[in-house]
């Protein structure tokens, strides 16, 4: 039983990617943002959170403070470097042993709940939760069967072993956390999850970082206000070393087939061929999966004659990402699969219209035609029309901006943390009931 007189202690597991890593390259992405944002918010609610992740460098200290009440623990499991995500199942035994050793030198009953992120963490968390007799909560983030059903042309399917491992975690977890109702349905229909153990908790956005530019439009009609905002965006582009008088479309994420930045490059080619205005496409991201991914994207731009319109830069920290969003006319999220779509939610909060693929959780983030634009397919023609038409219509962009800003407060991390604490409490009840049923 948890002592109500002390803070809740959460062992949070993130095996394959550290919350200290910069999102946007390698295996670091939205999950890193999720783990960090949730852990900080749980600590603000009074919990103590320890995040266990695999050590990837001998220089990493054993423990790194992340915020008041939150630390990151590096666990040695296999070679520090040279392993990708597909190599990690063979290191789960070593990782789990490292997690268990951390608890072993403390008093019994130290942790109150294990919260595992992604299926690899779920496998380790399953053993830790059983050893400590505490509930296992699992957030899957992505699902193999969902990703394989929406593969980009030429992409590699997720291995069968992953789907089997996911099934095991789904069965073992006392609570499963889905980011959207769509993901909850996928857990029940594709993995046989018990509906009463699936909880929908929408991820959050750091609303102190992702906020609109401070441009006063009081007393102005929509057209005049839109012109003032566009002028502010031009000055921000100039400060970032980008062409100020050319519209800017921003893609922020890993450069890989799943995230589909190639769709945007092909859309620029369509705009060029039809003699429409071709914006600058700024890609903030690094290669993921294939080391040559960035060079391949640049080669595609050259092949289509739009190499002078495509700028690729390394991913940036959250405050700089927000600054780039405020400089952009449109943020594009063309992914083939997204369990939620944090970039879309962050862009809305920063006051930038979003054009996104109508996949996964993105229709939850965006209300098509009201707070954003959803694109039904991944055709370069469709995307060219969606982006081109929006860039040609400043008043429509202004309307999307206003509606998006009005909707963005629902995605605060503090709200998500309160809901997650309720999930933890429910998971304790489920674990107790399952133990009684076993006799």
């Amino acid at each position: 039983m948890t002592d109500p007189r002390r803070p809740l202690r959460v062992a949070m597991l993130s095996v394959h990617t550290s919350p200290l890593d910069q999102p946007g390259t390698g295996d670091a992405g939205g999950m890193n943002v999720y783990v960090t944002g949730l852990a900080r918010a749980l600590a603000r609610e009074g919990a103590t959170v320890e995040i266990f992740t695999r050590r990837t460098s001998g220089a990493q200290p054993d423990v790194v403070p992340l915020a008041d009440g939150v630390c990151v623990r590096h666990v040695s499991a296999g070679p520090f470097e040279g392993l990708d995500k597909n190599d990690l199942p063979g290191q789960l035994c070593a990782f789990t042993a490292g997690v268990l050793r951390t608890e072993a030198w403390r008093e019994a009953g130290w942790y109150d709940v294990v919260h595992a992120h992604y299926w690899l963490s779920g496998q380790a968390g399953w053993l830790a939760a059983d050893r400590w007799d505490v509930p296992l909560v699992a957030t899957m983030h992505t699902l193999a069967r969902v990703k394989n059903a929406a593969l980009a042309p030429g992409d590699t399917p997720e291995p069968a072993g992953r789907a089997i491992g996911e099934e095991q975690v789904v069965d073992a977890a006392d609570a499963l956390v889905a980011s959207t109702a769509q993901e909850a349905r996928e857990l029940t229909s594709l993995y046989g999850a018990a509906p009463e153990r699936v909880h929908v908790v929408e991820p959050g956005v750091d609303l102190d970082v992702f906020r609109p530019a401070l441009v006063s439009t009081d007393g102005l009609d929509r057209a005049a206000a839109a012109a003032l905002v566009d002028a502010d965006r031009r000055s921000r582009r100039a400060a970032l070393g980008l062409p100020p008088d050319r519209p800017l479309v921003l893609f922020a994420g890993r450069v890989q087939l799943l995230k589909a930045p190639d769709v945007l490059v092909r859309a620029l080619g369509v705009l060029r061929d039809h003699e429409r205005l071709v914006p600058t496409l700024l890609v903030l991201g690094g290669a993921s999966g294939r080391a040559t991914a960035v060079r391949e994207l640049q080669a595609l731009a050259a092949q289509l004659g739009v190499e002078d319109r495509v700028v690729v830069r390394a991913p940036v920290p959250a405050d700089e990402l927000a600054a780039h969003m405020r400089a952009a006319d449109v943020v594009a999220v063309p992914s083939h699969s997204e369990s939620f779509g944090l970039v879309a939610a962050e862009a809305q909060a920063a006051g930038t219209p979003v054009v996104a693929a109508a996949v996964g959780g993105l229709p939850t983030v965006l209300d098509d035609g009201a707070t954003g634009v959803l694109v039904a397919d991944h055709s370069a023609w469709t995307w060219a029309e969606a982006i081109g038409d929006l860039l040609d219509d400043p008043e429509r962009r202004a309307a999307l901006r206003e509606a998006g800003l009005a909707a963005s407060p629902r995605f605060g991390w503090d709200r998500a943390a309160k809901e997650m604490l309720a999930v933890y409490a429910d998971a304790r009840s489920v674990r107790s009931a399952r133990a009684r049923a076993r006799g």
Side-chain angles (χ1 to χ4, degrees), residues 176-189:
L176 293 157
V177 178
S179 293
T180 65
Q182 172 67 25
E183 186 184 0
R185 289 190 292 270
E186 290 162 350
L187 283 165
T188 56
S189 64

Side-chain angles (χ1 to χ4, degrees), residues 95-113:
F95 181 87
T96 307
V99 172
L100 294 176
R101 276 195 296 270
T102 299
E103 190 266 353
W105 49 263
R106 289 171 155 163
E107 63 187 64
W110 183 265
Y111 296 109
D112 300 305
V113 62

Side-chain angles (χ1 to χ4, degrees), residues 14 16-36 53 56 85 252-256 259 284-289 315-316 342-343:
S14 180
H16 80 281
T17 181
S18 169
L20 301 176
D21 292 343
Q22 169 62 55
T25 191
D27 289 324
M31 192 180 109
N32 301 66
V33 178
Y34 183 112
V35 170
T36 302
T53 192
T56 56
K85 190 164 56 178
R254 289 167 287 170
V255 180
Q256 60 176 198
K259 299 297 183 180
L284 290 181
S288 177
V316 295
L342 275 174
V343 167

Side-chain angles (χ1 to χ4, degrees), residues 84-86 118-119 142-163 166 191 257-258 290 337:
D84 69 23
K85 190 164 56 178
N86 292 327
Y118 195 66
W119 78 275
T142 62
L143 295 164
R145 287 172 181 153
V146 174
K147 290 181 71 173
N148 286 347
L151 279 181
D155 207 354
T156 303
E158 294 294 319
R162 173 179 169 181
E166 289 171 342
Y191 288 85
L257 292 172
L258 176 71
R290 293 203 304 264
S337 177

Side-chain angles (χ1 to χ4, degrees), residues 124-213:
W126 176 12
L127 297 177
D130 274 359
R131 170 66 179 80
W132 300 334
D133 192 23
V134 299
L136 171 63
V137 177
T139 303
M140 305 301 279
H141 292 278
T142 62
L143 295 164
R145 287 172 181 153
V146 174
K147 290 181 71 173
N148 286 347
L151 279 181
D155 207 354
T156 303
E158 294 294 319
R162 173 179 169 181
I164 294 169
E166 289 171 342
E167 283 184 335
Q168 293 169 335
V169 174
V170 166
D171 184 62
D174 300 293
L176 293 157
V177 178
S179 293
T180 65
Q182 172 67 25
E183 186 184 0
R185 289 190 292 270
E186 290 162 350
L187 283 165
T188 56
S189 64
L190 299 178
Y191 288 85
E196 67 273 13
R197 285 194 278 125
V198 180
H199 306 261
V200 176
V201 178
E202 292 180 345
V205 170
D206 188 338
L207 298 175
D208 292 329
V209 172
F210 293 94
R211 50 184 173 74

